[in-house]
Amino acid sequence: MNVHRRQFLQRAAAAASLFAVPHVAFAQSYPTKPVHLIVGFPAGGPADIGARVTAEWLSQRLGQQVIVENRPGAATNIATEAMIRAPADGYTLLFSMVSNAINATLYDKMNFNFIRDTAPVGTLMRTPGVMLVNPAMPATIPDFIAYAKANPGKINMSSAGPGTVPHIYGELFKIMTGTDMVMVHYRGAGPAMPDLISGRIQVMFDSVPSAIQQVRSGKLRPLGVTTATRLDVMPDVPAINEFVPGYVASNWYGIVAPKDTPAEIVARLNKEINAILADPAVRARIADLGASPFAGSAADFAKFIAEDTERWGKVIREANIKPE
C-alpha cells in the first residue's frame, strides 16, 4: 500500500469516527462558540429588551457569548423561519413569544409549522396586560360592560394592528362579555396612546410596562389587569377575571430551537434557564421589567405552546381576524 493511500484511509477512518461519537459527547462540550438568539422585533422594544437581558444571563451561565440578532418583520415570522432553517446544533435559538402561537392560525400559508418544526427549550417570563380607558369612561369593569352593552358600536377600541396582542386581548374581552365595540387599528400601541388620552379612542389593552407611567400620571384609568390575580405593581387594580371569570391573558417569552436539536443540548439549556430564574437578583430584574418569572421543563413548554396556540386560534376564528 503506497503512502498516499495509507494516509487517505487514515483520514477517512478518523472522519468516520467523528460520526460515531454520540450526541452526548457534543452536548458535554456545548457550547464551544457564540450562540445566536434571534428576536423578531426591532431593537429597543419590549421583546428586544427581554432578549438582551436573557442573552446576558445565558452568556454568564454558558461561558460563551450569546449574541442577539434582530430580524423584524411579518409579525415574527421572518425571525422564526430563520431559526427553523438553521442547523439543529444549539447555536441558533429563537426568543419566542405569544405571537408565535397567534400566527399559527392568523396566517393561512407559512413556510413552516411552529409546533412541528421547533424544539421547545424553556419558558422565561410572562408580561401582563392591562385594560385602559379614557378617564371620562366608567370607572369599573361591570359599569364599563353595562355601558358598552347599552351603546353597541359606539365605543372605539384600539389595537396595535390586526392579530397583535392588544387586538387579540380586546377581541377575547368582546367575545367573553358579549359587547360590540369598533376595533380601530394603529401601527403599534404607541401611536394609539395619544388618541386614547384625548378621548378619540375610549379603550385599549396594553402591556403593563408600557402603560404604567400613563396610569401613574392619571392620564389613563386602568380598569383591570389580564392576569388571573392582581399584580404587586398595581395592587389596587382588579383582575378582569374577578368580573369576567376565565378571562386570563399574558404575553410570554421563551426559547425554542430547531427541531432535531439533540435532547442533551435542550436539557442543558433548560437547566441553565431554570437556574437563572431561581436567582433572586434575576427575579428582581424581571419584576423591574414589569414581568414575572415563568420556569418549567421543556416538556411543560411544549404543552403550553400547544394549548396557547389552540386557545388563541379559537379567538382568531370566532372574530374572523385576518392579517394586514
Side-chain angles (χ1 to χ4, degrees):
M1 182 182 298
N2 62 44
V3 174
H4 293 296
R5 179 173 173 76
R6 185 184 303 113
Q7 290 175 339
F8 172 82
L9 291 174
Q10 288 172 342
R11 287 195 297 269
S17 68
L18 290 175
F19 294 100
V21 177
H23 281 311
V24 67
F26 290 105
Q28 287 173 347
S29 61
Y30 170 87
T32 60
K33 60 182 181 180
V35 176
H36 291 256
L37 181 61
I38 301 177
V39 59
F41 286 94
D48 175 70
I49 293 170
R52 291 184 186 280
V53 295
T54 299
E56 178 185 342
W57 298 329
L58 267 180
S59 296
Q60 295 170 1
R61 296 289 307 185
L62 295 174
Q64 285 285 347
Q65 185 178 9
V66 178
I67 302 169
V68 173
E69 287 187 20
N70 297 92
R71 298 201 185 185
T76 74
N77 287 336
I78 291 174
T80 302
E81 185 169 3
M83 180 278 301
I84 286 173
R85 304 303 176 206
D89 56 8
Y91 289 99
T92 303
L93 308 172
L94 177 73
F95 191 71
S96 60
M97 58 199 74
V98 69
S99 299
N100 294 120
I102 292 170
N103 290 349
T105 304
L106 182 64
Y107 291 88
D108 292 332
K109 295 180 180 180
M110 292 194 293
N111 296 325
F112 59 86
N113 179 297
F114 187 73
I115 292 177
R116 182 196 64 206
D117 297 331
T118 64
V121 172
T123 44
L124 291 161
M125 61 188 92
R126 295 179 189 262
T127 304
V130 59
M131 182 180 179
L132 302 166
V133 296
N134 180 277
M137 296 299 291
T140 68
I141 289 176
D143 288 344
F144 179 88
I145 293 172
Y147 180 84
K149 287 185 175 180
N151 297 275
K154 300 294 181 62
I155 296 177
N156 291 327
M157 173 183 283
S158 71
S159 92
T164 59
V165 170
H167 184 195
I168 297 295
Y169 286 6
E171 292 292 354
L172 178 63
F173 183 84
K174 289 165 60 180
I175 290 169
M176 294 187 70
T177 58
T179 50
D180 176 15
M181 292 178 275
V182 178
M183 191 65 69
V184 181
H185 297 299
Y186 289 76
R187 291 193 176 278
M193 194 66 73
D195 282 356
L196 181 63
I197 293 171
S198 70
R200 292 180 63 187
I201 298 295
Q202 288 76 51
V203 59
M204 72 177 288
F205 284 81
D206 197 8
S207 70
V208 169
S210 65
I212 196 165
Q213 293 304 320
Q214 303 290 359
V215 169
R216 288 172 175 169
S217 70
K219 293 180 179 179
L220 295 175
R221 176 184 292 138
L223 289 193
V225 292
T226 64
T227 44
T229 58
R230 300 189 182 205
L231 300 173
D232 291 340
V233 71
M234 291 181 172
D236 297 329
V237 180
I240 296 172
N241 183 54
E242 295 176 31
F243 306 101
V244 187
Y247 186 99
V248 179
S250 64
N251 195 356
W252 50 263
Y253 298 124
I255 290 179
V256 300
K259 72 173 182 177
D260 299 328
T261 297
E264 295 82 6
I265 290 179
V266 171
R268 167 77 193 283
L269 288 167
N270 181 268
K271 175 183 175 183
E272 302 301 349
I273 288 170
N274 286 324
I276 288 167
L277 296 178
D279 186 330
V282 169
R283 297 176 74 85
R285 175 66 174 130
I286 290 174
D288 287 342
L289 296 173
S292 59
F294 185 22
S297 68
D300 291 337
F301 191 18
K303 182 173 181 289
F304 175 82
I305 290 172
E307 292 174 346
D308 216 41
T309 299
E310 178 58 25
R311 179 175 184 236
W312 293 122
K314 290 179 180 178
V315 174
I316 290 165
R317 289 188 291 269
E318 184 167 346
N320 194 30
I321 299 172
K322 303 295 181 182
E324 288 184 321

